[in-house]
Amino acid sequence: MNRLKLIFGVFILSIWSCDSKDDIIPDPQSDKVRGAILESMEEWYYWNEELPAAINTADYTTNEELLDALIVKPLDRFSYLTTQEAFNNAFVGKNAGHGFGFAFDANEKLFLTFVFEDSPAGLDGWQRGWEIIEINDKTISEYKNASGGYDFQLGPSDPGVTNSFTFRLPDGTTTTRTNIKAEYQSNSVLHQEVIDLNGKKVGYWVYQSFKATAGQSPTKSLEVDESMKFFEEAGIDELIIDLRYNGGGSVAVAEQINNYLIQASNTDKLMYTNQLNSLKKELEKIVNFKKQGGLNLSKILFITSRGSASASELVINSLNPYLDITLVGDNTYGKPVGSFPLSGYNKILKQNNVELVPITFATANAEGYTEYFDGFPADFAVGDTPQFNWGDPNDLRLAAALAVIENGSVSGRLLNTFYRPTWEMIDQFNGLEQEFPAY
């Protein structure tokens, strides 16, 4: 039986009905597998008509080399290969690593940006706003390369990998922590609160990635349910959604959030449509809003950055025809296309534990808007201040969002803080890890 399973990019069709044999020995880097990759790309790739006219898989020594030769550049920055287990774990928040993110401020000082609660870093008490001054006894500048980027050499995300970090805390003291990577369950909601702004109740929600709760049918996030209930019971008048470090994730969860945010008067109206290649037109679909909860908002403020991608942009694009949307921070990443995994359609990929996740469709909102490869521009460009913890009024992007709610605009003082880092955390990652970036 076919089952439609949603991730970013509208949907994943996950069907599989082959007879597995116990005596099959996986050989993921074989030419047979590369043949299956080429065959799957010809069938499912969104730009399949632009694939090379003739290609010999035997000319490539790795699956990755072949995929790089097949993808359409520069539009396709997103297609990737992984394993089936890694793919499935990522979309329900099963991680391995230290469990944190970091970013540079305007003075190129490096700060923790978020810490997952149950990760090794979270269990050691790390907090957003701690400045990282050394990693493994080397200063941050020692990791800078000739191109202006950074390679912090933290090793693979395997349990047992150890790194040492020296922090300068907000009170000026320093501490050195040795942290061992481990498996953990990551949280998507980093912070939520209600801010009293001159008698107006403003919800502030920091959402890090669109991850589903394992075992839920239909696919959804219990964290999202709890957050929306929190804001509804608080009776908020306005809502700020902070997506500045959100690389994307499950489209089913994006739809869940949209259905909470849309007004009741717009239920059953078009959320988005998707477009597949010419061979798969019969699988294209229309998704309508189905109002959930009691929130009744006319506008939403989003805090964004170049790290806001994929499902983050889908939410913004889908809501834009119906609500007054304002973006504060920086332009988003620019991913109007999506993917679903193809091992369920190819026995060879399945048997060899190769998950091929190429671009397979584009999405369009109710106004037909789908071309945002350059990202959504910020209405008010304001610099990031990772040295301040969540909810701190000194956080410039939060202050700017509150200013828009209060005054309809942002002061020149805040606008003058804008800077665009030459290197951001999203630059460190590719493929699956870019959608869920964390160390």
Side-chain angles (χ1 to χ4, degrees):
M1 174 177 167
N2 291 2
R3 184 167 65 92
L4 204 62
K5 180 182 178 183
L6 293 167
I7 67 165
F8 176 68
V10 188
F11 62 89
I12 300 174
L13 294 172
S14 64
I15 55 175
W16 185 248
S17 58
C18 72
D19 296 324
S20 62
K21 298 182 181 295
D22 294 337
D23 58 350
I24 293 175
I25 300 174
D27 186 8
Q29 289 292 341
S30 65
D31 188 57
K32 188 176 182 180
V33 168
R34 284 188 278 283
I37 291 171
L38 176 59
E39 179 183 274
S40 297
M41 291 288 282
E42 290 172 337
E43 180 181 2
W44 290 99
Y45 190 46
Y46 182 66
W47 295 288
N48 65 337
E49 295 179 356
E50 299 179 48
L51 290 170
I55 194 161
N56 184 357
T57 59
D59 292 339
Y60 301 90
T61 57
T62 68
N63 300 339
E64 290 72 19
E65 286 180 4
L66 172 62
L67 183 61
D68 185 65
L70 292 174
I71 61 174
V72 174
K73 301 171 183 175
L75 288 180
D76 188 359
R77 300 168 283 161
F78 317 110
S79 296
Y80 63 89
L81 290 153
T82 184
T83 65
Q84 293 145 30
E85 181 183 25
F87 181 89
N88 293 332
N89 284 345
F91 281 86
V92 293
K94 294 181 180 179
N95 290 18
H98 295 301
F100 70 91
F102 49 49
F104 287 98
D105 71 353
N107 298 313
E108 209 161 345
K109 293 182 178 180
L110 189 64
F111 292 86
L112 293 177
T113 52
F114 63 85
V115 182
F116 293 126
E117 293 173 3
D118 293 331
S119 69
L123 295 176
D124 194 36
W126 299 15
Q127 295 287 323
R128 170 178 168 84
W130 288 14
E131 182 186 354
I132 307 170
I133 54 179
E134 288 186 354
I135 298 176
N136 294 324
D137 299 319
K138 294 170 64 176
T139 63
I140 302 307
S141 62
E142 291 180 79
Y143 290 100
K144 193 169 187 176
N145 56 40
S147 64
Y150 290 81
D151 180 5
F152 293 104
Q153 302 169 19
L154 297 178
S157 296
D158 298 332
V161 173
T162 301
N163 289 289
S164 174
F165 303 83
T166 299
F167 299 101
R168 180 177 290 112
L169 305 184
D171 65 3
T173 62
T174 61
T175 180
T176 298
R177 307 288 181 91
T178 297
N179 197 263
I180 304 173
K181 294 183 180 182
E183 294 180 348
Y184 64 93
Q185 179 67 44
S186 63
N187 52 296
S188 290
V189 178
L190 300 179
H191 181 79
Q192 62 185 31
E193 68 172 304
V194 176
I195 299 170
D196 186 346
L197 185 66
N198 297 325
K200 182 178 289 188
K201 293 182 179 179
V202 179
Y204 176 47
W205 193 44
V206 184
Y207 194 65
Q208 194 271 336
S209 56
F210 294 78
K211 295 187 287 268
T213 302
Q216 294 296 304
S217 182
T219 302
K220 69 172 186 175
S221 165
L222 295 181
E223 283 188 85
V224 168
D225 284 345
E226 291 165 1
S227 285
M228 295 302 143
K229 182 180 180 182
F230 169 78
F231 290 124
E232 184 178 343
E233 291 180 347
I236 61 170
D237 304 300
E238 307 276 358
L239 180 60
I240 299 168
I241 300 179
D242 196 330
L243 301 175
R244 73 182 91 176
Y245 310 124
N246 191 318
S250 167
V251 139
V253 176
E255 290 179 14
Q256 178 189 0
I257 292 170
N258 280 345
N259 286 329
Y260 274 112
L261 299 178
I262 198 67
Q263 309 96 324
S265 60
N266 285 317
T267 195
D268 294 326
K269 292 185 180 179
L270 180 62
M271 185 187 299
Y272 68 83
T273 60
N274 72 305
Q275 304 163 348
L276 281 77
N277 69 36
S278 60
L279 300 176
K280 301 297 180 182
K281 289 296 182 183
E282 75 280 4
L283 296 176
E284 294 184 345
K285 62 179 292 189
I286 294 172
V287 177
N288 294 328
F289 289 101
K290 299 294 181 184
K291 176 64 180 173
Q292 298 291 317
L295 291 179
N296 184 27
L297 303 168
S298 60
K299 59 184 176 180
I300 298 177
L301 279 290
F302 288 97
I303 296 176
T304 58
S305 75
R306 197 162 60 84
S308 307
S310 195
S312 290
E313 295 170 305
L314 179 64
V315 166
I316 294 167
N317 198 40
S318 298
L319 292 174
N320 195 51
Y322 303 101
L323 288 90
D324 180 2
I325 300 295
T326 301
L327 304 188
V328 171
D330 198 357
N331 300 352
T332 65
Y333 188 74
K335 187 183 178 185
V337 289
S339 311
F340 49 83
L342 297 184
S343 68
Y345 299 98
N346 190 292
K347 177 186 280 190
I348 294 172
L349 296 179
K350 186 74 171 181
Q351 291 174 340
N352 289 278
N353 192 25
V354 173
E355 193 58 88
L356 172 62
V357 193
I359 294 303
T360 48
F361 57 86
T363 62
N365 68 7
E367 296 173 342
Y369 187 55
T370 188
E371 293 289 332
Y372 49 91
F373 283 99
D374 292 328
F376 292 110
D379 297 291
F380 299 99
V382 177
D384 197 12
T385 44
Q387 62 266 46
F388 300 112
N389 210 340
W390 301 120
D392 191 314
N394 293 303
D395 177 359
L396 296 179
R397 288 181 173 169
L398 175 58
L402 292 170
V404 173
I405 291 173
E406 188 171 21
N407 306 313
S409 63
V410 174
S411 70
R413 180 188 67 83
L414 285 173
L415 295 176
N416 286 337
T417 66
F418 180 72
Y419 68 97
R420 183 165 287 139
T422 57
W423 181 92
E424 295 187 54
M425 195 173 75
I426 198 169
D427 299 320
Q428 183 86 18
F429 298 100
N430 295 295
L432 183 64
E433 290 183 335
Q434 191 176 66
E435 196 146 17
F436 302 96
Y439 293 101

